[in-house]
Amino acid sequence: MTTTSDATPAPVPPARPGWRDVLHSLRDRKVLAMLLLGFSSGIPIYLVGNTLGFWMRENAIELSTIGFLSWVGLAYSLKFLWAPLVDRVDAPLVGRWLGRRRGWMLLAQATVAAALAGMALIEPQAGTLSLGGVALDHLVVFGVLALVVAFASATQDIVIDAWRIESADSNEQQALLISTATLGYRGALLVTDALILILAAHIGWSLSYDVMALLMGVGMATTVLLAREPRSAAAAAVAPIWTTRGIYDAILGPFIAFFREHGKWALLMLVAISLYRLPDFIMGPMANPFYADLGIGKETVGAVRASIGLVATILGIAAAGLMSVRFGFTRTLLLGAILGPGSNAAFTYLAWHGGDPGVFSAVMMIDNFCSGFAGVALVGYMSSLTSLGYTATQYALLSSFYALPGKFLKGLSGVAVERLTAVSGSLMDGYAWFFLCTALAGVPAFLLCLWLVRRAPVHGMGAASLPGGGLGR
């Protein structure tokens, strides 16, 4: 064998990180901080959403009022409106002490905790409330506090996402931070969607919300003691926000790039995205009141969600991920357009069958699997549509676009159940027809997805990562 000193060696592919590298990364303080910040991010969302509906219904609040109050969740869909301000201005009082990212984090977390404690003190009930000698509607004050929680929570999400992106040293670490954040977020949803029901059955709703307010201390302690201000945060977004260039980059640029990239298919894609989870959003505020009216105890709902529901959700997420890899995002989206709305029809059967624990568990298994599948299918598809250079902004706008129609219409869900009850003559019949109608509301999205599959290019796995949170009802 002959060798030469000037021979060019064959390129060596970069080694993939092994288990030791992964375990070493888990000891990184920023990874632990991301886990805890993900947990803090997931705490508030259900406390002003579905879980709140259970508490209000047990206090004999009308379904229409519960539906209207769900509109506070619009803050999560509109957060892109004030995100440029948070990105360019230091937080008042604490911004100079902690830095731009950590300052906004701490301010948002403290606001969420204070407003949750206020909700626990006020409680959802009819009548008037005297504040400083002024008589105010009790539910209006309670609703304002819920809106403060949603607004501060959405602001926290903006800053935590920015902190994650700016803190990563490499693409591999970015992926690890995304996975860690998702784990923390899902853990928080388990606490606020399942375990809180068991807790409320023993100590009451008010004390349970006080406990949730205290759990926000996890995020506050992480922000002050564990998280470090990213070095790139101070130099980020130095261009003035209220300039032609600033407005273009924040709002117009991503949309122009999207339509330039996808051409004639862009509008069809946007319409399909906006209708895709419409059945779940409309149904969402009525799910927990339905369980209460059906006579299913809080502890039973919590136990089923924390066991069968959790397993079914994980299976649905895994199935959607595997199908995306094998068949692409568009075909996975089509199957999700069938499974997602179809699971709503299972609630119709539950309404007409009664509160049998076995039937309830089966319905929860079907619903959680289908919701998990459809959620990942939509996130994956939206991620595949983003353009290089606008990935974060376009995804934020797409996620807001998909949620906005459903979060507006779900405010009318209580009125719909009450009207259907008046026509059918029975509350359970009213619920049953409502759930069936929400399932049928998924037909337009299915037809649009079918058109995308037959006419548009199939999107495979791209470079964009698949975030796991924020796609529930």
Side-chain angles (χ1 to χ4, degrees), residues 57-426:
R57 192 53 176 169
E58 286 196 340
N59 283 14
I61 303 299
E62 294 180 351
L63 293 176
S64 55
T65 302
I66 296 174
F68 293 146
L69 193 59
S70 71
W71 273 333
V72 302
L74 286 171
Y76 293 97
S77 297
L78 300 175
K79 62 184 179 182
F80 69 92
L81 295 177
W82 67 91
L85 183 65
V86 172
D87 201 32
R88 291 164 170 81
V89 179
D90 288 339
L93 301 179
V94 294
R96 291 189 177 183
W97 169 43
L98 292 173
R100 182 166 299 174
R101 301 308 182 204
R102 294 164 69 223
W104 279 112
M105 262 190 237
L106 183 63
L107 182 61
Q109 291 158 351
T111 303
V112 168
L116 286 175
M119 292 173 66
L121 180 64
I122 298 298
E123 299 190 24
Q125 52 187 296
T128 58
L129 176 68
S130 179
L131 288 177
V134 179
L136 300 172
D137 185 277
H138 208 115
L139 280 175
V140 169
V141 176
F142 186 82
V144 169
L145 288 170
L147 180 60
V148 171
V149 171
F151 182 84
S153 173
T155 303
Q156 179 189 213
D157 291 348
I158 293 170
V159 190
I160 288 178
D161 284 339
W163 183 89
R164 170 180 53 80
I165 293 170
E166 295 171 351
S167 295
D169 297 325
S170 63
N171 290 336
E172 290 77 13
Q173 189 175 69
Q174 185 66 249
L176 181 61
L177 291 178
I178 290 173
S179 300
T180 308
T182 302
L183 180 62
Y185 186 89
R186 291 293 180 182
L189 296 188
L190 178 64
V191 171
T192 57
D193 192 37
L195 299 184
I196 191 176
L197 301 182
I198 301 173
L199 188 63
H202 291 85
I203 66 174
W205 282 107
S206 291
L207 285 178
S208 297
Y209 266 64
D210 281 329
V211 172
M212 298 301 110
L214 290 175
L215 284 179
M216 288 303 299
V218 172
M220 296 169 67
T222 302
T223 299
V224 175
L225 302 176
L226 192 59
R228 291 174 176 169
E229 184 70 4
R231 284 176 292 181
S232 57
V238 293
I241 182 174
W242 303 121
T243 64
T244 303
R245 183 63 183 177
I247 294 175
Y248 177 90
D249 287 338
I251 304 296
L252 300 179
F255 275 114
I256 293 174
F258 181 84
F259 278 90
R260 184 183 296 123
E261 172 74 18
H262 301 290
K264 64 181 181 180
W265 294 102
L267 186 60
L268 177 63
M269 291 170 176
L270 290 176
V271 175
I273 288 170
S274 68
L275 297 178
Y276 193 76
R277 299 304 300 273
L278 192 64
D280 274 355
F281 278 121
I282 297 175
M283 173 187 163
M286 294 298 104
N288 281 332
F290 169 58
Y291 305 147
D293 290 337
L294 202 57
I296 302 175
K298 294 188 293 292
E299 59 274 21
T300 300
V301 176
V304 172
R305 282 176 174 169
S307 54
I308 296 173
L310 177 62
V311 173
T313 299
I314 294 173
L315 291 176
I317 291 172
L322 291 173
M323 184 171 178
S324 296
V325 173
R326 179 63 181 86
F327 299 105
F329 285 128
T330 311
R331 291 194 173 101
T332 305
L333 189 77
L334 177 63
L335 182 56
I338 300 172
L339 294 178
S343 66
N344 288 19
F347 287 86
T348 297
Y349 179 81
L350 180 61
W352 280 331
H353 189 276
D356 179 81
V359 176
F360 173 70
S361 298
V363 170
M364 286 295 96
M365 180 180 294
I366 295 171
D367 180 60
N368 281 272
F369 178 89
C370 294
S371 295
F373 188 101
V376 171
L378 180 59
V379 171
Y381 182 72
M382 290 192 301
S383 297
S384 73
L385 299 181
T386 57
S387 304
L388 188 63
Y390 286 116
T391 302
T393 305
Q394 283 186 342
Y395 184 82
L397 291 170
L398 286 172
S399 62
S400 296
F401 194 82
Y402 104 86
L404 192 56
K407 288 192 174 182
F408 173 76
L409 290 176
K410 76 177 185 178
L412 305 174
S413 57
V415 174
V417 173
E418 290 177 347
R419 295 287 176 84
L420 289 169
T421 298
V423 172
S424 62
S426 163

Side-chain angles (χ1 to χ4, degrees), residues 1-82:
M1 182 176 62
T2 305
T3 60
T4 59
S5 59
D6 59 346
T8 302
V12 179
R16 294 184 178 181
W19 283 109
R20 291 184 179 179
D21 299 315
V22 174
L23 292 175
H24 178 73
S25 297
L26 292 176
R27 295 201 298 265
D28 190 333
R29 64 182 291 164
K30 73 177 65 173
V31 177
L32 177 59
M34 192 71 261
L35 176 69
L36 299 176
L37 289 175
F39 180 83
S40 180
S41 178
I43 286 291
I45 186 168
Y46 278 163
L47 299 180
V48 292
N50 296 357
T51 300
L52 180 59
F54 212 132
W55 185 9
M56 295 179 69
R57 192 53 176 169
E58 286 196 340
N59 283 14
I61 303 299
E62 294 180 351
L63 293 176
S64 55
T65 302
I66 296 174
F68 293 146
L69 193 59
S70 71
W71 273 333
V72 302
L74 286 171
Y76 293 97
S77 297
L78 300 175
K79 62 184 179 182
F80 69 92
L81 295 177
W82 67 91

